[in-house]
């Protein structure tokens, strides 16, 4: 990557590529927050002022009509706010702390949705929530990561099968090679890989399908508009969980058991799909950040490469010979070679390979250091690439080398 010059020894004030990427992403997020705040303020501020003005007029009219002072009326409303925090509503709603209500609550806790319509009021409940959420949220994140791993594997397998079927139709493969295809799952997934764009499209369609079906159910049962139902689906599936709209809160429904089960299934499937989609989109964001770094730091890199000897990086231990095409599990790419920003074939690295030059990942280091202490040689080549997912369960570790844009094997 040409942008690696940001990490070369241009001077004491220069950053390496990883720190530059982190700071650039932080700056972009701050700009994104400022832009979002400006847009929402422009859209919602006028409505907030109108609502406040209407409320003050209604409060004054009610006070005059019933000959109540404003202080007495506001005191009564504060008592109602306290009752609302405890789960009491004007309309008849389901009990918040019976077993089914408590199960709904813990589901929103471990999934990190946190609608906020139910919260513990006792000291014991708050203390238990801290420890319960610590283990529950960590376990659920692990479940989402394992779901993502299996989902990417299934999508890769299906798309690879379709790709092989197209090659058979074109008779691009000899019969001997066709018989050897698919002998094992590891060999089948180690070759052709789907593009991250196709995976993102599939996840978008799956998320949209689940949201549309769930919205149709909420519209007919909860009485919401279809747009509000879609809004609720995104807020719930993305685990934002504002709590302005919450499903399955009325005291009684038609076919109540079926509806509550369907609500649970839709939320579970939606959260899994949206979580996977967010992680795939994060790859595209990382590629964009790398592209910006390469454009910004390209000139500095070229000057430093002409003036200074190139040092080898990503050296795990003395005496270990790194394969120039060995793939990093955590950082989307091939390790740096001695070809001065070029691929082993001598061709320049294109824009599609912008994430293909990152540092060795922490899981690989953690795996190799015990091997070095025990005198075990570090595996490289295709065997290393086949076993890279055993080193971690993070989202980047799962998706790397399963998608074309995050792999050294294109």
């Amino acid at each position: 990557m040409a942008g690696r010059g940001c990490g070369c020894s241009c001077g004491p004030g220069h950053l390496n590529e990883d720190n530059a990427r982190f700071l650039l992403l932080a700056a972009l997020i701050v700009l994104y927050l400022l832009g979002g705040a400006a847009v929402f303020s422009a859209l919602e501020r006028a409505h907030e002022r109108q609502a406040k003005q209407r409320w003050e007029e209604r409060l004054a009219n009610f006070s005059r009509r019933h000959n109540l002072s404003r202080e007495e009326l506001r005191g009564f409303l504060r008592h109602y706010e306290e009752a609302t925090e405890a789960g009491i509503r004007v309309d008849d709603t389901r009990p918040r702390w019976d077993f089914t209500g408590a199960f709904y609550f813990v589901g929103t806790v471990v999934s990190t949705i946190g609608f906020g319509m139910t919260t513990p009021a006792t000291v014991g409940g708050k203390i238990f929530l801290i420890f319960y959420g610590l283990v529950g949220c960590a376990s659920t994140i692990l479940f989402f990561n394992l779901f993502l791993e299996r989902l990417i594997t299934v999508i890769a397998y299906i798309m690879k099968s379709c790709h092989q079927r197209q090659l058979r139709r074109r008779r691009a493969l000899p019969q001997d090679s066709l018989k050897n295809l698919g002998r094992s799952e590891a060999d089948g997934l180690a070759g052709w890989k789907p593009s991250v764009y196709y995976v993102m499209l599939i996840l978008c369609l799956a998320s949209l399908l689940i949201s549309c079906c769930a919205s149709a159910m909420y519209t007919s049962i909860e009485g919401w508009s279809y747009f509000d139902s879609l809004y609720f689906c995104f807020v719930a599936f993305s685990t934002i969980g504002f709590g302005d709209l919450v499903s399955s809160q009325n005291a009684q429904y038609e076919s109540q058991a079926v509806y509550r089960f369907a609500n649970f299934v839709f939320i579970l499937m939606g959260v899994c799909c949206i979580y996977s989609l967010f992680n795939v989109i994060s790859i595209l964001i990382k590629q964009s950040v790398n592209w910006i770094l390469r454009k910004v730091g390209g000139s500095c890199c070229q000057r430093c490469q002409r003036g200074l000897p190139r040092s080898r990086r990503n050296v795990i231990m003395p005496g270990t010979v790194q394969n120039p095409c060995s793939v990093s599990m955590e950082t989307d790419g091939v390790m740096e070679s001695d070809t001065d920003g070029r691929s082993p074939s001598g061709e320049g690295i294109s824009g599609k390979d912008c994430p293909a030059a990152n540092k060795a990942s922490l899981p690989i280091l953690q795996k190799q250091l015990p091997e070095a202490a025990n005198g075990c040689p570090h595996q490289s080549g295709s065997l290393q690439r086949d076993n890279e997912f055993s080193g971690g369960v993070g989202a980047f570790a799962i998706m790397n080398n399963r998608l074309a844009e995050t792999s050294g094997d294109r």
Side-chain angles (χ1 to χ4, degrees):
M1 177 177 175
R4 189 171 287 281
C6 296
C8 56
S9 301
C10 297
H14 282 74
L15 298 172
N16 60 35
E17 183 189 359
D18 290 336
N19 291 333
R21 182 189 298 111
F22 173 77
L23 293 177
L24 176 60
L25 182 59
L28 292 176
I29 291 176
V30 171
L31 292 177
Y32 193 76
L33 293 175
L34 293 175
V39 171
F40 280 111
S41 179
L43 293 174
E44 301 293 338
R45 181 59 176 167
H47 181 270
E48 180 190 24
R49 290 174 178 173
Q50 294 174 2
K52 185 177 181 179
Q53 183 178 1
R54 287 194 302 266
W55 169 248
E56 292 294 338
E57 292 175 356
R58 291 173 181 174
L59 193 64
N61 293 334
F62 187 87
S63 178
R64 288 194 302 268
R65 187 180 304 115
H66 296 279
N67 195 20
L68 294 173
S69 65
R70 299 288 291 271
E71 290 74 14
E72 292 177 341
L73 187 56
R74 291 184 183 276
F76 177 77
L77 293 176
R78 290 191 183 94
H79 290 304
Y80 175 72
E81 290 178 352
E82 294 176 358
T84 301
E85 293 178 357
I88 307 301
R89 297 291 187 273
V90 175
D91 298 326
D92 190 18
T93 58
R94 62 183 291 182
R96 297 299 175 88
W97 293 110
D98 62 350
F99 183 79
T100 56
F103 184 81
Y104 193 91
F105 167 73
V106 296
T108 62
V109 170
V110 300
S111 63
T112 70
I113 295 177
F115 286 123
M117 77 293 179
T118 303
T119 56
T122 63
V123 175
K126 293 176 181 179
I127 294 176
F128 180 72
L129 174 65
I130 294 174
F131 295 98
Y132 184 84
L134 183 65
V135 177
C137 293
S139 301
T140 306
I141 291 174
L142 174 62
F143 172 80
F144 288 157
N145 285 329
L146 296 179
F147 173 87
L148 174 62
E149 179 182 3
R150 281 146 183 80
L151 181 64
I152 296 297
T153 301
V154 170
I155 292 176
Y157 180 80
I158 293 175
M159 295 185 67
K160 184 177 186 299
S161 300
C162 296
H163 181 69
Q164 291 175 352
R165 194 172 292 110
Q166 291 178 357
L167 293 179
R168 290 190 183 99
R169 290 176 181 175
R170 299 174 184 175
R171 296 182 179 179
L173 292 178
Q175 295 296 325
D176 294 338
S177 62
L178 292 177
K179 294 179 181 179
N180 295 328
L181 290 175
R183 287 184 174 180
S184 63
E185 181 181 359
D187 293 338
L189 294 177
W192 183 86
K193 299 177 179 66
S195 171
V196 65
Y197 301 102
Y198 289 118
V199 175
M200 183 180 68
L201 178 61
I202 292 173
L203 289 173
C204 283
L205 293 177
S207 302
L208 184 61
L209 178 62
I210 294 173
S211 298
C212 290
C213 293
S215 298
M217 180 184 70
Y218 295 137
T219 300
S220 61
I221 297 180
E222 296 288 350
W224 302 336
S225 66
Y226 193 79
F227 177 79
D228 285 342
S229 299
L230 284 174
Y231 163 79
F232 165 77
C233 287
F234 177 77
V235 170
F237 297 167
S238 61
T239 69
I240 296 175
F242 290 126
D244 51 347
L245 293 175
V246 182
S247 61
S248 187
Q249 294 302 301
N250 294 338
Q252 293 294 330
Y253 292 97
E254 294 182 3
S255 303
Q256 180 168 286
V258 176
Y259 169 63
R260 289 182 174 173
F261 177 76
N263 178 58
F264 171 78
V265 172
F266 274 126
I267 290 180
L268 177 63
M269 294 174 58
V271 169
C272 290
C273 288
I274 293 294
Y275 175 84
S276 302
L277 179 61
F278 283 170
N279 282 284
V280 172
I281 293 175
S282 68
I283 291 181
L284 303 181
I285 296 175
K286 186 178 182 182
Q287 289 179 342
S288 301
V289 171
N290 288 339
W291 180 83
I292 295 174
L293 286 177
R294 188 175 68 242
K295 291 298 182 182
V296 172
S299 59
C300 174
C301 177
Q302 293 175 0
R303 290 194 300 267
C304 293
Q305 287 175 348
R306 287 193 294 265
L308 295 174
R310 190 176 184 86
S311 60
R312 294 184 59 87
R313 298 187 62 187
N314 300 330
V315 178
I316 306 302
M317 68 185 76
T320 301
V321 179
Q322 289 284 351
N323 186 351
C325 295
S326 60
V327 183
S328 171
M329 176 180 65
E330 189 75 11
T331 51
D332 299 354
V334 295
M335 293 183 184
E336 185 179 10
S337 66
D338 291 333
T339 54
D340 194 14
R342 294 180 174 271
S343 62
S345 61
E347 299 177 355
I349 299 176
S350 64
K352 294 174 63 179
D353 299 323
C354 60
N358 294 317
K359 294 171 63 179
S361 65
L362 180 60
I364 287 183
L365 292 174
Q366 292 173 339
K367 181 180 178 181
Q368 291 173 349
L369 290 177
E371 291 176 352
N374 295 329
C376 300
H378 174 60
Q379 293 179 343
S380 60
S382 60
L383 181 59
Q384 176 187 353
R385 289 194 295 269
D386 292 340
N387 294 331
E388 280 176 342
F389 285 93
S390 62
V393 295
F396 278 114
I398 290 171
M399 289 184 292
N400 278 343
N401 304 319
R402 300 265 173 141
L403 303 178
E405 286 76 9
T406 61
S407 173
D409 299 331
R410 303 302 297 266

